[in-house]
Amino acid sequence: MNRIVERFAQLKARNEKAFIPFLTAGDPTLAITKGLVLEFDKAGADVIELGVPFSDPLADGIVIQEAAQRALKHHVSLRHVLAMVKEIRAESEVPILLFSYYNPVLAYGVEALARDSKDAGVDGILCVDLPPEEATEYIAAFKEHDLATVFLAAPTSTAERIEIIAKCSSGFVYYVSRTGVTGEQESMESGVRGMVAKIKEHTDLPVAVGFGIAKPEQAAEVGDYADGVVVGSAIVRLIGELGDSPDTALMAGALVKSLADASKGKG
Amino acid sequence: MSEHATSSKTQKHPYPDAKGRYGDFGGRYVPETLMPALQELEKAFETAQEDPVFQETLRHYEATYVGRPTPLFFAERFTEHLGGAKVYFKREDLAHTGAHKINNALGQVLLAKKMGKKRIIAETGAGQHGVATATAASLLGLECEVYMGTADMERQKLNVFRMRLLGTKVIPVSSGSKTLKDAINEALRDWVTNVGETHYVLGTVHGPHPYPLICREFQRIIGREARRQIMEQEGRLPDTLIACVGGGSNSIGLFFEFLEDKDVKMIGVEAGGTAIEPEKHAARFAGGSPGMLQGAMSYVLQDADGQIQATHSVSAGLDYASVGPEHAYLRAVGRISYEYAMDGEALDAFQLVSRLEGIIPALESSHALAHAVKIVPSMDPSEVVIVNMSGRGDKDVDQAARLLLPEEDWA
């Protein structure tokens, strides 16, 4: 069974919520990213969103833009990311979702990437600038290798679009909690709870919420009604501040633990 | 006027298809947040195309504000100098604000107003699209903010001030290569955040569907006029059309009306920069490969990992890593050929046309002129060429002075 699907099933059986940290692969180095993923696994992460650095990340705020720039300074590519996942698999079974822009995927080749992702031990993929309408072959290719294709739903999505998004998604549906790019915010936009409920009318898949969740209080609030909580920029910002300091894994792990506990109502 | 009003409607054309595709190119690759806005825009545009009041308003402003039709000018001394085909210039440089960009900006800002949007945003490279959008927003009383790379702000200071004078806020973009591509990223980030009340006026025939279609339809007036004008002046269709291609809006605007005329040859001229080597040019067809950038599948300058490469051109308006999807399609089917002109060749044509015709062309348009300099001498004097003078070069004189006379003090 696909590790993402399995993890959500286990969590559901325990009536527990998923915590999903995002980090940019190769920021500051791939060796440190590998250590961080292993640390996040121990700290209670249920799925790791592994950001593939891209030169033109138009859906990202400044924190993740800068992380991608740091990773691209040493030319981190999808091939390197897959090699790193393979190494992680020698030590951990934590579910891993690639989070990419579409052009690096196209350059790699959609079918080749699906095959190599499976070989490396990746469990699914989300392309932030690939709407389901353009994804027919992509969905087929990843499905063939039992990999999840996660699509985004947004505050602007109509019922008609939510239906398409739900149908094309596997693993879970990712709800973007605000109209905007990735980044931290002081408080959650209103209406998130209602939209999560609306998405659930269209699908039995778990619904995870991300974009703008930065603090344990917010994670706890979202964990109350969503099946999963995604935090990106707050973690990436800390990694950016710590860089290659010997404390990076430990301190980022502590942040992930506090957010994971809060998401699961143990905060 | 009435002739224009009827012919301006979207004629049924096989491309783009319902998914915004031009063969293998085009489409709509954006984050989900923008998908509903693009669908809304597509519907609003379709309605406006069929709305006689909207069309009449657009024609009214085109005639009384933009100054259309722009002339088709026989460049007699340039023709004599080259000693081949007769060369005409389509004088988009005489349109209000000094370039063809106003055609699209005015149409889109009118559309935004009709859609009830309160705020306009745009990106700009050379500054011409930014100035055109600022102008249209001023004319129609909408708030306007323009994103511009700091490298472009440096080389186009005059246009930055023009936008400010027009009441527009110019927002500097210092990420990435600090040029057009990065300004588009930032404009898209703004649009994702403020999509409800904001219309994004994308300045070229690129981006997610329906932008390439909308921009093409608002620019088609160039070719529609040129076709009528050449029939009046020469009594026949031209043999060759030449236009520069950045995103590709002035070229598609001139070419589109002649696509069905199989004997009319069309050449798009890209920016060859200093060399066709990575990061030294913006000739996507010469040095790029199929890929997806900023919403559309097309040709892209990228490395083996799909990272977008930096570009270079003496002309800020051609300095972009991708090209309109319809161009990629028309090249694939062999209808249009694409060449490139180097920085130096463009600067030579810039000076030549200034001296011979008393017209200072934009550095963008100078690329098209440079190609005319290459091919016209070997053409027959009975042949007729139209070069799209897409913009005027006033904005470029400061930069050109530094490049051409570096020993003099231009501070």
Side-chain angles (χ1 to χ4, degrees):
Chain A
M1 197 194 238
N2 178 291
R3 289 185 198 87
I4 295 173
V5 175
E6 195 178 359
R7 178 63 62 103
F8 271 104
Q10 289 164 352
L11 289 168
K12 194 176 178 185
R14 298 204 298 265
N15 196 24
E16 209 175 277
K17 303 307 172 68
F19 179 67
I20 307 173
F22 169 98
L23 76 173
T24 301
D27 171 36
T29 66
L30 281 163
I32 290 174
T33 302
K34 181 188 162 189
L36 285 165
V37 171
L38 295 172
E39 194 66 31
F40 290 1
D41 180 20
K42 284 185 218 153
D46 294 295
V47 178
I48 305 287
E49 261 187 23
L50 204 48
V52 178
F54 181 51
S55 54
D56 292 80
L58 57 81
D60 282 303
I62 190 70
V63 170
I64 295 176
Q65 285 175 43
E66 288 178 352
Q69 283 305 316
R70 289 193 292 268
L72 287 176
K73 262 191 204 141
H74 31 266
H75 305 284
V76 170
S77 72
L78 262 170
R79 276 177 299 121
H80 302 122
V81 175
L82 294 181
M84 180 190 67
V85 172
K86 209 162 199 167
E87 287 179 27
I88 289 169
R89 283 290 169 247
E91 301 177 47
S92 165
E93 287 296 305
V94 67
I96 294 176
L97 179 78
L98 294 179
F99 188 104
S100 185
Y101 286 82
Y102 192 43
N103 202 52
V105 172
L106 265 178
Y108 194 103
V110 172
E111 282 180 17
L113 179 63
R115 181 193 65 219
D116 295 352
S117 293
K118 183 69 182 179
D119 285 349
V122 164
D123 304 293
I125 185 164
L126 188 169
C127 278
V128 66
D129 53 357
L130 181 70
E133 283 88 339
E134 304 285 2
T136 311
E137 289 159 27
Y138 161 100
I139 294 167
F142 283 90
K143 200 173 195 170
E144 194 187 318
H145 294 282
D146 188 33
L147 297 173
T149 51
V150 177
F151 286 91
L152 301 172
T156 50
S157 301
T158 55
E160 195 185 354
R161 294 201 52 75
I162 291 172
E163 182 69 31
I164 299 170
I165 291 158
K167 218 173 260 170
C168 292
S169 294
S170 48
F172 63 98
V173 173
Y174 186 134
Y175 179 62
V176 173
S177 71
R178 62 165 176 193
T179 52
V181 293
T182 58
E184 299 154 78
Q185 64 186 2
E186 281 306 309
S187 62
M188 300 297 298
E189 274 184 18
S190 61
V192 179
R193 183 190 292 262
M195 275 301 278
V196 169
K198 206 164 146 188
I199 295 166
K200 284 179 160 294
E201 286 170 18
H202 293 269
T203 181
D204 294 329
L205 286 171
V207 178
V209 175
F211 278 48
I213 304 170
K215 297 178 211 157
E217 308 89 86
Q218 295 166 331
E221 183 189 332
V222 174
D224 189 40
Y225 54 80
D227 302 303
V229 177
V230 186
V231 176
S233 295
I235 296 168
V236 173
R237 185 169 51 77
L238 182 65
I239 295 170
E241 283 163 11
L242 296 167
D244 56 5
S245 130
D247 300 332
T248 302
L250 217 61
M251 290 182 67
L255 174 63
V256 166
K257 180 157 180 12
S258 71
L259 290 161
D261 286 349
S263 306
K264 293 164 188 291
K266 304 180 198 164
Chain B
M1 284 296 292
S2 60
E3 176 219 18
H4 285 232
T6 48
S7 63
S8 71
K9 288 193 179 170
T10 320
Q11 278 159 22
K12 291 297 168 204
H13 191 263
Y15 297 97
D17 68 13
K19 290 183 77 181
R21 293 230 158 233
Y22 304 80
D24 292 336
F25 305 102
R28 182 182 276 164
Y29 297 85
V30 292
E32 171 60 24
T33 309
L34 294 180
M35 286 295 286
L38 291 168
Q39 290 173 332
E40 179 200 358
L41 179 61
E42 186 182 1
K43 279 201 193 89
F45 177 67
E46 278 170 14
T47 309
Q49 289 293 93
E50 304 299 324
D51 176 0
V53 177
F54 180 89
Q55 292 300 326
E56 198 53 45
T57 309
L58 182 59
R59 297 308 152 217
H60 166 75
Y61 284 125
E62 283 173 348
T64 63
Y65 187 75
V66 176
R68 304 209 70 93
T70 61
L72 183 72
F73 169 70
F74 173 46
E76 199 170 347
R77 286 186 14 99
F78 187 58
T79 296
E80 205 171 283
H81 175 83
L82 297 179
K86 285 177 85 170
V87 181
Y88 285 81
F89 296 158
K90 178 58 175 164
R91 299 291 309 275
E92 289 302 295
D93 60 317
L94 291 177
H96 182 42
T97 71
H100 72 290
K101 291 289 183 187
I102 190 74
N103 301 328
N104 171 56
L106 176 65
Q108 282 203 42
V109 175
L110 261 180
L111 185 61
K113 195 161 183 178
K114 188 171 170 353
M115 289 170 77
K117 303 286 181 183
K118 302 273 180 275
R119 178 173 174 263
I120 296 297
I121 56 168
E123 84 294 342
T124 198
Q128 289 305 105
H129 173 59
V131 168
T133 306
T135 298
S138 165
L139 172 71
L140 297 166
L142 293 178
E143 184 196 335
C144 181
E145 294 182 28
V146 172
Y147 289 90
M148 188 170 189
T150 48
D152 288 337
M153 286 177 77
E154 183 54 37
R155 51 182 169 177
Q156 300 290 348
K157 279 182 186 155
L158 181 65
N159 273 342
V160 174
F161 183 64
R162 286 166 82 193
M163 286 185 269
R164 288 183 180 149
L165 207 53
L166 291 159
T168 280
K169 189 174 164 197
V170 180
I171 305 174
V173 177
S174 54
S175 57
S177 58
K178 305 171 175 55
T179 60
L180 179 58
K181 160 177 92 69
D182 311 282
I184 296 174
N185 285 335
E186 220 39 54
L188 283 165
R189 290 181 187 120
D190 180 314
W191 202 31
V192 164
T193 308
N194 303 296
V195 63
E197 58 175 14
T198 302
H199 174 67
Y200 173 26
V201 180
L202 207 156
T204 190
V205 287
H206 199 272
H209 180 63
Y211 281 110
L213 170 68
I214 291 178
C215 185
R216 178 189 86 193
E217 292 302 311
F218 286 138
Q219 293 292 1
R220 274 174 68 178
I221 191 162
I222 302 172
R224 202 178 297 131
E225 288 174 4
R227 190 188 170 92
R228 180 166 47 77
Q229 289 164 324
I230 200 73
M231 292 305 289
E232 281 164 13
Q233 295 183 45
E234 285 288 333
R236 68 178 191 84
L237 290 174
D239 299 282
T240 300
L241 306 174
I242 305 173
C244 64
V245 182
S249 69
N250 89 78
S251 50
I252 213 85
L254 175 65
F255 295 165
F256 194 82
E257 238 33 53
F258 296 92
L259 283 176
E260 302 303 316
D261 303 307
K262 298 302 174 203
D263 294 334
V264 178
K265 213 175 135 190
M266 301 175 190
I267 304 166
V269 185
E270 298 184 282
T274 55
I276 304 300
E277 291 168 20
E279 308 193 357
K280 292 184 178 169
H281 70 99
R284 291 66 44 103
F285 291 127
S289 53
M292 192 286 283
L293 178 63
Q294 295 171 333
M297 192 74 72
S298 185
Y299 269 69
V300 177
L301 292 171
Q302 56 187 332
D303 68 15
D305 297 328
Q307 305 296 344
I308 308 308
Q309 285 172 329
T311 52
H312 163 80
S313 170
V314 67
S315 144
L318 303 182
D319 200 350
Y320 181 55
S322 188
V323 58
E326 190 163 8
H327 286 286
Y329 167 73
L330 290 166
R331 176 177 179 268
V333 297
R335 180 64 189 94
I336 301 180
S337 60
Y338 293 83
E339 309 286 345
Y340 56 84
M342 309 304 285
D343 281 356
E345 294 169 333
L347 279 166
D348 288 347
F350 173 80
Q351 296 170 86
L352 183 68
V353 172
S354 297
R355 270 202 312 275
L356 290 177
E357 299 292 355
I359 296 169
I360 301 172
L363 285 175
E364 290 77 13
S365 322
S366 299
H367 285 70
L369 293 162
H371 193 72
V373 170
K374 278 181 219 169
I375 66 164
V376 168
S378 59
M379 291 177 78
D380 192 90
S382 68
E383 292 186 273
V384 172
V385 172
I386 298 176
V387 179
N388 201 7
M389 186 67 77
S390 54
R392 67 179 184 220
D394 304 48
K395 68 184 173 59
D396 297 315
V397 294
D398 186 57
Q399 189 195 358
R402 289 163 204 271
L403 288 167
L404 297 171
L405 299 166
E407 66 283 0
E408 290 182 31
D409 181 17
W410 298 103

